[in-house]
Amino acid sequence: MTEKIQAIVIKSTDRKEKDKNVLLFSIEKGKCWATLKGVKGSGAKMKIAQNLFCFGEFLLENGKFGQVVTGFSSIETFHELSEDVDKYFEATALLEIVGAVEFSSIAEQKAVFVLLLQALKTLCFGGAPANYVLDKFLLELFNIYGFPIAYEKCSCCGAKAFEKIYFDYQNGEIVCTNCKSFNSEELSKITYSALKILSSCDFDKFSTIRLAQGSELGLLRVLARNFEARFEKRLKLMGILS
C-alpha cells in the first residue's frame, strides 16, 4: 500500500553504499524514518530528496526493514540555506529543535510543521538578520506547547515597572527583583528589548526591524536554556552557541 505525504527532511544518514535514511516531518505522520534507495548514485532520480530542508511530496511503502520512499516530487528545496554558512547553522538548529520535541496531538504536529515551514521560508527568502528567525521560532514554539513568555509585567507580583528584569527558568517567566529565585538570570536591557520586539513582530516583518547588536544572541541563550528546562532535552545549536 502506497502512502502519500508532504514532508520536510530534518535528518539524513548514510545507509549501505548508495542508500540514505531520512527522517521526515509531516503533518500526517509527525516524524518518521524512511529509506531512499540508490540516491547516492550520480544519476539517481530522487537524489535531491536526501538533502536537509528539502520539502516535497513523498510516496512511502512498507519494506522488509521499514518504510521506503518510492516516489518524490519537490515543492521547495531551500538549497540557498546550504550556500550561506550563517543561514545553514540557523536552519540546522531549527531542525535540531523539531527533532527534539514530541507531539501529543495532530493539532500540535500541524502547528509545529507550519511554524517550521514559515521559519525556513523567512530564513531563506525573507532577508532576516542572523538568529532573528531562530529566536522567533522558539518563542512561537513555547506558545504552541502552552509555555508563553509574558513580558509586560512580573509574572509573580504583577509589577509593571521594575528596575531590574530577570528570567526565571523554574517557571519560564519574567520576574522582578523581589520575586526572583535562585534559578533566575538577570536580563540586559537590550536582551529584554529583543524579547519584546520579536514577540510582537511577525516573520514577514523581520526585514524591517533591527535589534541592538548582540541582543538576538543574548536572547537565544535565554530561550535555549528555557527550552531545555521545559522539554528536558539538551540543545547543541552547533555553530551558534558553541
Side-chain angles (χ1 to χ4, degrees), residues 135-136 138-144 146-153 155 165-169 171-175 187 192 195-196 198-200 219 222-227 230:
D135 284 336
K136 180 65 173 178
L138 282 167
L139 288 168
E140 293 301 319
L141 190 74
F142 296 147
N143 290 336
I144 291 171
F147 308 130
I149 300 174
Y151 55 83
E152 301 91 347
K153 59 184 179 181
S155 64
I165 305 160
Y166 294 83
F167 193 91
D168 190 335
Y169 294 106
N171 58 27
E173 297 282 1
I174 296 294
V175 295
L187 299 185
Y192 180 61
L195 171 64
K196 292 196 297 181
L198 292 180
S199 293
S200 59
L219 177 59
V222 173
L223 298 179
R225 185 177 172 186
N226 186 51
F227 176 94
R230 304 280 78 75

Side-chain angles (χ1 to χ4, degrees), residues 89 217 220-221 235-242:
F89 282 134
L217 189 57
L220 179 57
R221 293 183 186 278
L235 292 177
K236 295 180 181 180
L237 303 185
M238 298 298 291
I240 300 178
L241 292 182
S242 58

